[in-house]
Amino acid sequence: MSKIAVVTDSNSGITQKEAKELGLYVLPMPFMIGDDTYYEDVNLTQEQFYELLLGGESISTSQPSPEEVCKLWDSLLQEYDEIVHIPMSSGLSGSCQSAYFLAQEYDDKVQVVDNQRISVTQRQSCLDALELVKQGKDAKYVKEFLEADKFNSSIYIMLDTLQYLKKGGRITPAAAAIGTLLKIKPVLQIQGEKLDAFSKARTVSQGKSVMMNAIKNDVETRFGGILPAPGGVWLEIAHTQNLEAAMELKEELLQVFPGYDVYIAPLSLSVSCHIGPGALAIACCKKISL
Amino acid sequence: MSYQVIDAKLLAKLFLAGSKNLESKKEYINELNVFPVPDGDTGTNMTMTIMSAAKEVNELGENPSMEALCKAISSGSLRGARGNSGVILSQLFRGFTKVIKTYDSLNACVLTEGFDKAVETAYKAVMKPKEGTILTVAKGIADKAKELSSEGVTDLEDFAGKVLEHGKYVLSQTPELLPVLKQAGVVDSGGQGLIEVLSGAYDALLGKEVDFSVAAESSADKPATTQENLVEIDVKYGYCTEYIILLNKNFNVKTEMDFKAYLESIGDSIVCVCDGETVKIHVHTNDPGLAIQKGLKFGQLTNLKIDNMRLEQEEKLKKAAQKAEVQAAAVAEKPAEPPKKVGFIAISAGEGLSEIFKSIGVDYVIEGGQTMNPSTADILDAVDKVNAENVFVLPNNKNIILAARQAAELMTDKNLLVIPTKTIPQGITAVINYMDGSSVDENEEMMISEIGKVKTGQITYAVRDTVIDDKEIKKDDYMGVGDNGILANGTDLTEVVLNTVAAMVGSDSELISVYYGSDVTEEDAEKIREKIADAYPNLDVELQNGGQPIYYYLVSVE
């Protein structure tokens, strides 16, 4: 049986510390702030990031450099036979494309997964990958499995403001066109490629109920129904500097999905940078069946 | 002269007489509005409805067939229908003509059957028929007709007289059926309108002289939207002439009468007001020189102004024609684009509100609302301009919902869906809750359920003394009108706004939106916003320039 390493980037929300515990490897995403380059969770914490963002610093995201990627792969291949590489969604970043390109040099040893996940759903993909590896599947099988599974997840994100989104250009025109005169909290969805508009709300509780109904509807119609706990889906809540609201949302989510596990994590920074603080997201992934 | 039957020619005459009489009483009917808000326009709405039919009847010429006449009355009033009473009136006509169109002449029995069908049709058109309204009056009339025909009354003068008498009696009883009418001390305005129509027709039946012509400038031709449908009006006197005389001679009642008489000999639209030291003169005349010379005899003149009204009129027509051309060109180019799936039409008054609606995705805004309810035809025209398979209409006023529903029924090539929004904030809520990915039906259901979650308060002034919801209201008081009645009233605008908001905010409220009207300055509005924000530190308060007339502030709480 070949030895397989699972690699992802820091968009999965998996910290360096957690990576060690789980037994996988995380490439930190670089950020250009002013003239300096920072690496998520290496020399840039969530707190520092928001402080800079709110302070009006212009923050731009980048992809891990080819050098960094190859260095990690090379060192891993000393120890492992194959690598499953799970980068952030190809709809939101060129990371996936670059990794795919680099992987050509590694024959079939590095399998780059293009399954358009991000944040908590990307994290779940990594956990699924670890599980598949444990089952003795090879890297190619894991890649194909995860790619076939890519649409079995949903994310809904309620933004506190449109301000950061407009700057970024990482949204479809439909989402960008959402009202400007009124204060509106857009609810966006990620079902694959880009962030797209889903609905709108004027208050937080309206927005939460929109997301809640949407997730409920997805589970009922696409992911096998609301089964008794532990259920057939993983539920996740992501937030940007909004832990208290996220905890509250968890309680509300448990009313609809009693007894389910709900994982809460801060939204990864390269998404946060386009969304700004105060956002809340609900996500779900269908549990994989082996 | 006594009649046993009414033929089409006579019926046309009676209909026009009824229309004319309603038009002459419309101001009076406007004032019968229960809510003393300055939007009492039942008379205007009913008049516009009936005039749209009268115009079509007029075009039929001297000897119309019964069928053509019925079609003119029915389709003319349906398309011209405005406001709830207007829609109900059009439905009464629709039912009535459905029966009579198959007869060449009408006797008491046919009329009775027609009245019966009219009432049945109108009741069906209203989702929750309320007694003490125009419906009750119509029903009373139909019942009386039934009673008279079963007694064998065939003389139509006798028949009509008794029916009308009973209708008036039922109208007088409407306050007993609707407590709001009783408290306000008025009879139902829609019922009064119906009685005016029948009275006019009855007078004509008796042979009293009525002017049957429908004047070109009659209100039927004034559209709720802009001046697009300008009609060529023959300007009789060409110059609008105004000046003020600084008196150096005595100007008593006698001189004033002489002066007016002189002006009347050279023109019309005369104003002649004297305050002891100055006299203000306004006249439309073909010879402004004469008017000025006359004034010079009493002192120096100031603030002179002479406008050529003929040129102005031509200019307006030219502009209207240009606009129509541009629109026609736009329409001609349009069909190239495939229709989108869903479009939105909102009815709203004020530039700010229009902008807000457009910014959240509304395709077309019909200017209208409180003072000018768009007709069924206005709504249909707007739907034509929206290139979509399904069009959601947001009436944003309780008095426009029926006309919108009527438009939906007349619409054939597009799916028109009315979301029964009663206020502007409800309309905004509806659009915001639209979800692109969901089906039209799901969206309709969603929007209807969401509009119930926003509370609206509208701040305006009282146009007369009244008692409503056990609150005594004086003329010119400020009032906050909520979704279910008056929330606050008083003489201090700020206080009334704050009390209105206080009556709306609940423990689960999160956002207060304030839309200020055209009569409020931005500074004053900002002060109000600060006061509200101070009173509710945990709520978001948002201020928007609505620019709406009549309502100083529209407030929503959600």
PDB file of all heavy atoms in Angstrom, chain A residues 234-251:
ATOM      1  N   TRP A 234     -22.670  17.093   7.143  1.00  0.00           N
ATOM      2  CA  TRP A 234     -21.870  17.873   8.087  1.00  0.00           C
ATOM      3  C   TRP A 234     -22.396  19.299   8.031  1.00  0.00           C
ATOM      4  O   TRP A 234     -22.582  19.846   6.950  1.00  0.00           O
ATOM      5  CB  TRP A 234     -20.393  17.869   7.686  1.00  0.00           C
ATOM      6  CG  TRP A 234     -19.772  16.515   7.558  1.00  0.00           C
ATOM      7  CD1 TRP A 234     -19.463  15.870   6.409  1.00  0.00           C
ATOM      8  CD2 TRP A 234     -19.386  15.648   8.623  1.00  0.00           C
ATOM      9  NE1 TRP A 234     -18.901  14.647   6.673  1.00  0.00           N
ATOM     10  CE2 TRP A 234     -18.840  14.472   8.043  1.00  0.00           C
ATOM     11  CE3 TRP A 234     -19.438  15.726  10.033  1.00  0.00           C
ATOM     12  CZ2 TRP A 234     -18.360  13.403   8.792  1.00  0.00           C
ATOM     13  CZ3 TRP A 234     -18.958  14.665  10.777  1.00  0.00           C
ATOM     14  CH2 TRP A 234     -18.426  13.512  10.165  1.00  0.00           C
ATOM     15  N   LEU A 235     -22.608  19.897   9.192  1.00  0.00           N
ATOM     16  CA  LEU A 235     -23.033  21.301   9.223  1.00  0.00           C
ATOM     17  C   LEU A 235     -21.890  22.158   9.741  1.00  0.00           C
ATOM     18  O   LEU A 235     -21.170  21.755  10.655  1.00  0.00           O
ATOM     19  CB  LEU A 235     -24.235  21.477  10.152  1.00  0.00           C
ATOM     20  CG  LEU A 235     -25.551  20.834   9.706  1.00  0.00           C
ATOM     21  CD1 LEU A 235     -26.573  20.959  10.808  1.00  0.00           C
ATOM     22  CD2 LEU A 235     -26.071  21.470   8.422  1.00  0.00           C
ATOM     23  N   GLU A 236     -21.729  23.324   9.115  1.00  0.00           N
ATOM     24  CA  GLU A 236     -20.657  24.205   9.527  1.00  0.00           C
ATOM     25  C   GLU A 236     -21.125  25.649   9.567  1.00  0.00           C
ATOM     26  O   GLU A 236     -22.003  26.038   8.798  1.00  0.00           O
ATOM     27  CB  GLU A 236     -19.481  24.109   8.538  1.00  0.00           C
ATOM     28  CG  GLU A 236     -18.779  22.775   8.509  1.00  0.00           C
ATOM     29  CD  GLU A 236     -19.059  21.992   7.233  1.00  0.00           C
ATOM     30  OE1 GLU A 236     -19.812  22.523   6.381  1.00  0.00           O
ATOM     31  OE2 GLU A 236     -18.550  20.871   7.073  1.00  0.00           O
ATOM     32  N   ILE A 237     -20.533  26.403  10.473  1.00  0.00           N
ATOM     33  CA  ILE A 237     -20.772  27.839  10.506  1.00  0.00           C
ATOM     34  C   ILE A 237     -19.419  28.532  10.405  1.00  0.00           C
ATOM     35  O   ILE A 237     -18.478  28.153  11.101  1.00  0.00           O
ATOM     36  CB  ILE A 237     -21.467  28.265  11.815  1.00  0.00           C
ATOM     37  CG1 ILE A 237     -22.903  27.717  11.836  1.00  0.00           C
ATOM     38  CG2 ILE A 237     -21.492  29.788  11.955  1.00  0.00           C
ATOM     39  CD1 ILE A 237     -23.613  27.925  13.146  1.00  0.00           C
ATOM     40  N   ALA A 238     -19.334  29.493   9.498  1.00  0.00           N
ATOM     41  CA  ALA A 238     -18.102  30.276   9.407  1.00  0.00           C
ATOM     42  C   ALA A 238     -18.453  31.732   9.632  1.00  0.00           C
ATOM     43  O   ALA A 238     -19.588  32.150   9.395  1.00  0.00           O
ATOM     44  CB  ALA A 238     -17.447  30.088   8.041  1.00  0.00           C
ATOM     45  N   HIS A 239     -17.493  32.494  10.122  1.00  0.00           N
ATOM     46  CA  HIS A 239     -17.800  33.894  10.431  1.00  0.00           C
ATOM     47  C   HIS A 239     -16.559  34.738  10.252  1.00  0.00           C
ATOM     48  O   HIS A 239     -15.434  34.214  10.218  1.00  0.00           O
ATOM     49  CB  HIS A 239     -18.325  34.026  11.865  1.00  0.00           C
ATOM     50  CG  HIS A 239     -17.304  33.614  12.899  1.00  0.00           C
ATOM     51  ND1 HIS A 239     -16.466  34.515  13.497  1.00  0.00           N
ATOM     52  CD2 HIS A 239     -16.990  32.393  13.403  1.00  0.00           C
ATOM     53  CE1 HIS A 239     -15.670  33.862  14.357  1.00  0.00           C
ATOM     54  NE2 HIS A 239     -15.968  32.571  14.305  1.00  0.00           N
ATOM     55  N   THR A 240     -16.766  36.042  10.108  1.00  0.00           N
ATOM     56  CA  THR A 240     -15.617  36.941  10.101  1.00  0.00           C
ATOM     57  C   THR A 240     -15.751  37.846  11.317  1.00  0.00           C
ATOM     58  O   THR A 240     -16.654  38.679  11.356  1.00  0.00           O
ATOM     59  CB  THR A 240     -15.556  37.786   8.810  1.00  0.00           C
ATOM     60  OG1 THR A 240     -16.769  38.534   8.699  1.00  0.00           O
ATOM     61  CG2 THR A 240     -15.411  36.932   7.575  1.00  0.00           C
ATOM     62  N   GLN A 241     -14.889  37.655  12.298  1.00  0.00           N
ATOM     63  CA  GLN A 241     -14.886  38.450  13.533  1.00  0.00           C
ATOM     64  C   GLN A 241     -16.276  38.524  14.159  1.00  0.00           C
ATOM     65  O   GLN A 241     -16.745  39.582  14.519  1.00  0.00           O
ATOM     66  CB  GLN A 241     -14.389  39.882  13.247  1.00  0.00           C
ATOM     67  CG  GLN A 241     -12.941  39.982  12.860  1.00  0.00           C
ATOM     68  CD  GLN A 241     -12.011  39.627  13.997  1.00  0.00           C
ATOM     69  OE1 GLN A 241     -11.704  38.459  14.198  1.00  0.00           O
ATOM     70  NE2 GLN A 241     -11.555  40.612  14.748  1.00  0.00           N
ATOM     71  N   ASN A 242     -16.944  37.424  14.241  1.00  0.00           N
ATOM     72  CA  ASN A 242     -18.352  37.454  14.637  1.00  0.00           C
ATOM     73  C   ASN A 242     -18.690  36.203  15.446  1.00  0.00           C
ATOM     74  O   ASN A 242     -19.739  35.616  15.267  1.00  0.00           O
ATOM     75  CB  ASN A 242     -19.202  37.514  13.355  1.00  0.00           C
ATOM     76  CG  ASN A 242     -20.485  38.280  13.562  1.00  0.00           C
ATOM     77  OD1 ASN A 242     -20.745  38.787  14.645  1.00  0.00           O
ATOM     78  ND2 ASN A 242     -21.311  38.348  12.529  1.00  0.00           N
ATOM     79  N   LEU A 243     -17.800  35.796  16.341  1.00  0.00           N
ATOM     80  CA  LEU A 243     -17.941  34.522  17.036  1.00  0.00           C
ATOM     81  C   LEU A 243     -19.235  34.442  17.845  1.00  0.00           C
ATOM     82  O   LEU A 243     -19.946  33.433  17.820  1.00  0.00           O
ATOM     83  CB  LEU A 243     -16.732  34.273  17.950  1.00  0.00           C
ATOM     84  CG  LEU A 243     -16.766  32.933  18.697  1.00  0.00           C
ATOM     85  CD1 LEU A 243     -16.787  31.760  17.723  1.00  0.00           C
ATOM     86  CD2 LEU A 243     -15.569  32.801  19.640  1.00  0.00           C
ATOM     87  N   GLU A 244     -19.556  35.544  18.507  1.00  0.00           N
ATOM     88  CA  GLU A 244     -20.743  35.538  19.362  1.00  0.00           C
ATOM     89  C   GLU A 244     -22.000  35.243  18.542  1.00  0.00           C
ATOM     90  O   GLU A 244     -22.816  34.404  18.908  1.00  0.00           O
ATOM     91  CB  GLU A 244     -20.865  36.901  20.039  1.00  0.00           C
ATOM     92  CG  GLU A 244     -21.626  36.866  21.336  1.00  0.00           C
ATOM     93  CD  GLU A 244     -21.677  38.260  21.934  1.00  0.00           C
ATOM     94  OE1 GLU A 244     -20.592  38.885  22.066  1.00  0.00           O
ATOM     95  OE2 GLU A 244     -22.787  38.728  22.219  1.00  0.00           O
ATOM     96  N   ALA A 245     -22.110  35.925  17.412  1.00  0.00           N
ATOM     97  CA  ALA A 245     -23.268  35.709  16.537  1.00  0.00           C
ATOM     98  C   ALA A 245     -23.262  34.289  15.983  1.00  0.00           C
ATOM     99  O   ALA A 245     -24.307  33.673  15.795  1.00  0.00           O
ATOM    100  CB  ALA A 245     -23.253  36.719  15.404  1.00  0.00           C
ATOM    101  N   ALA A 246     -22.047  33.769  15.746  1.00  0.00           N
ATOM    102  CA  ALA A 246     -21.938  32.408  15.218  1.00  0.00           C
ATOM    103  C   ALA A 246     -22.439  31.392  16.243  1.00  0.00           C
ATOM    104  O   ALA A 246     -23.132  30.427  15.900  1.00  0.00           O
ATOM    105  CB  ALA A 246     -20.485  32.115  14.826  1.00  0.00           C
ATOM    106  N   MET A 247     -22.115  31.617  17.516  1.00  0.00           N
ATOM    107  CA  MET A 247     -22.571  30.724  18.581  1.00  0.00           C
ATOM    108  C   MET A 247     -24.099  30.749  18.664  1.00  0.00           C
ATOM    109  O   MET A 247     -24.753  29.723  18.842  1.00  0.00           O
ATOM    110  CB  MET A 247     -21.990  31.159  19.941  1.00  0.00           C
ATOM    111  CG  MET A 247     -20.475  31.162  20.027  1.00  0.00           C
ATOM    112  SD  MET A 247     -19.754  29.535  19.820  1.00  0.00           S
ATOM    113  CE  MET A 247     -20.094  28.823  21.434  1.00  0.00           C
ATOM    114  N   GLU A 248     -24.628  31.960  18.540  1.00  0.00           N
ATOM    115  CA  GLU A 248     -26.087  32.124  18.584  1.00  0.00           C
ATOM    116  C   GLU A 248     -26.743  31.387  17.409  1.00  0.00           C
ATOM    117  O   GLU A 248     -27.738  30.694  17.564  1.00  0.00           O
ATOM    118  CB  GLU A 248     -26.393  33.613  18.459  1.00  0.00           C
ATOM    119  CG  GLU A 248     -27.474  34.124  19.383  1.00  0.00           C
ATOM    120  CD  GLU A 248     -27.570  35.626  19.229  1.00  0.00           C
ATOM    121  OE1 GLU A 248     -28.253  36.060  18.290  1.00  0.00           O
ATOM    122  OE2 GLU A 248     -26.910  36.355  20.025  1.00  0.00           O
ATOM    123  N   LEU A 249     -26.123  31.540  16.259  1.00  0.00           N
ATOM    124  CA  LEU A 249     -26.650  30.897  15.052  1.00  0.00           C
ATOM    125  C   LEU A 249     -26.616  29.380  15.196  1.00  0.00           C
ATOM    126  O   LEU A 249     -27.514  28.676  14.727  1.00  0.00           O
ATOM    127  CB  LEU A 249     -25.820  31.347  13.837  1.00  0.00           C
ATOM    128  CG  LEU A 249     -26.224  30.801  12.471  1.00  0.00           C
ATOM    129  CD1 LEU A 249     -27.656  31.178  12.135  1.00  0.00           C
ATOM    130  CD2 LEU A 249     -25.293  31.342  11.380  1.00  0.00           C
ATOM    131  N   LYS A 250     -25.584  28.877  15.892  1.00  0.00           N
ATOM    132  CA  LYS A 250     -25.482  27.434  16.094  1.00  0.00           C
ATOM    133  C   LYS A 250     -26.705  26.910  16.856  1.00  0.00           C
ATOM    134  O   LYS A 250     -27.300  25.895  16.486  1.00  0.00           O
ATOM    135  CB  LYS A 250     -24.205  27.121  16.873  1.00  0.00           C
ATOM    136  CG  LYS A 250     -24.027  25.649  17.169  1.00  0.00           C
ATOM    137  CD  LYS A 250     -22.761  25.376  17.950  1.00  0.00           C
ATOM    138  CE  LYS A 250     -22.742  23.909  18.377  1.00  0.00           C
ATOM    139  NZ  LYS A 250     -21.526  23.566  19.112  1.00  0.00           N
ATOM    140  N   GLU A 251     -27.075  27.657  17.904  1.00  0.00           N
ATOM    141  CA  GLU A 251     -28.251  27.250  18.685  1.00  0.00           C
ATOM    142  C   GLU A 251     -29.488  27.196  17.800  1.00  0.00           C
ATOM    143  O   GLU A 251     -30.299  26.276  17.871  1.00  0.00           O
ATOM    144  CB  GLU A 251     -28.482  28.225  19.853  1.00  0.00           C
ATOM    145  CG  GLU A 251     -27.395  28.182  20.923  1.00  0.00           C
ATOM    146  CD  GLU A 251     -27.097  26.767  21.385  1.00  0.00           C
ATOM    147  OE1 GLU A 251     -28.066  26.036  21.695  1.00  0.00           O
ATOM    148  OE2 GLU A 251     -25.904  26.372  21.388  1.00  0.00           O
TER     149      GLU A 251
END
